[in-house]
Amino acid sequence: MVYILMICMVVPLLLLIPMLEKQSRLLLGFVLGGMVLAVCAYEINSVVCALFSLSGPELSITAAPIVEEILKALPVLFFALFVSDDRKLVLQLAMASGIGFAILENAFLLITYVDQVDIVWAVVRGISTSLSHGICTMIVGNGIVYVRKQKKLFYTGTFALLTASMTLHAIFNLLIQSSYDYIALALPIVLYLLYWVTKLRL
């Protein structure tokens, strides 16, 4: 089912890419890349879950944040290292990668649990969870622009950025399954608003 969803979403958008300007094409390309990476994450998480006999909640706070944040960060790291280190553009592409990932993940969960979801679920997933994925990837994108220029910090800095994004992801997943789920829902929204407040003041 996850492959059918990906094909239904990615193919029509691929047809749109040639009609777009360069930067719009890049953004849409990273959204599509995020969708494809969501499928990769699904496969890897399934293997890890079977190998270590993890339950869904256990997977979501242990292996899944590691797998998903590494995958989402790969195209962003490649772009920042080999194409352009323009901070504004890298942040946009990082958010696009995370949002693309969230779109396919949300669609798959909707199909899987169609009898248990409602409008509230859709709004929550559409805003909070999508922002969570995007912000975690933006952490890596924001830091790699600086770290790539510091030879002594490159490897440890990249590891630290990935670790920070994985930790935030794991905290979100842990809180969303607890009685403090309202904190998890508010956290990415607050971080996103802080980003825009900081951006407007600079």
Side-chain angles (χ1 to χ4, degrees):
M1 180 61 72
V2 67
Y3 291 101
I4 295 173
L5 279 174
M6 181 185 72
I7 292 169
C8 288
M9 292 182 177
V10 170
V11 172
L13 292 173
L14 277 173
L15 300 175
L16 179 62
I17 284 182
M19 302 181 68
L20 301 176
E21 299 296 327
K22 182 179 179 181
Q23 187 161 334
S24 299
R25 194 181 302 140
L26 264 177
L27 282 170
L28 182 54
F30 270 70
V31 170
L32 295 176
M35 291 181 182
V36 173
L37 291 173
V39 175
C40 297
Y42 169 80
E43 292 292 352
I44 296 171
N45 285 338
S46 297
V47 171
V48 170
C49 198
L51 281 176
F52 297 99
S53 301
L54 298 174
S55 66
E58 288 172 338
L59 178 71
S60 72
I61 60 175
T62 54
I66 298 171
V67 171
E68 293 174 11
E69 293 311 322
I70 289 175
L71 288 175
K72 286 189 298 174
L74 285 176
V76 179
L77 291 171
F78 180 86
F79 186 88
L81 294 175
F82 300 110
V83 181
S84 171
D85 62 353
D86 181 303
R87 183 174 177 274
K88 180 180 178 181
L89 180 57
V90 170
L91 284 178
Q92 290 174 347
L93 297 180
M95 176 61 87
S97 179
I99 292 296
F101 190 101
I103 289 171
L104 193 71
E105 182 184 75
N106 289 346
F108 178 71
L109 290 175
L110 170 62
I111 296 297
T112 304
Y113 303 105
V114 66
D115 296 330
Q116 304 172 36
V117 301
D118 54 21
I119 295 295
V120 174
W121 180 91
V123 171
V124 169
R125 293 286 313 184
I127 298 175
S128 190
T129 306
S130 298
L131 280 179
S132 178
H133 275 299
I135 288 169
C136 286
T137 313
M138 282 180 69
I139 290 173
V140 179
N142 187 48
I144 199 63
V145 172
Y146 170 77
V147 168
R148 72 180 296 274
K149 299 175 183 177
Q150 312 297 320
K151 292 183 179 180
K152 294 182 179 179
L153 291 177
F154 178 73
Y155 294 106
T156 54
T158 303
F159 177 77
L161 291 168
L162 288 170
T163 302
S165 67
M166 293 170 192
T167 302
L168 181 60
H169 190 153
I171 289 172
F172 177 85
N173 287 352
L174 180 63
L175 288 173
I176 205 71
Q177 299 174 57
S178 72
S179 57
Y180 300 101
D181 55 350
Y182 59 92
I183 297 178
L185 298 176
L187 181 60
I189 297 172
V190 170
L191 291 175
Y192 188 64
L193 291 175
L194 285 174
Y195 164 76
W196 279 108
V197 168
T198 305
K199 182 179 174 66
L200 291 172
R201 287 186 175 180
L202 294 178

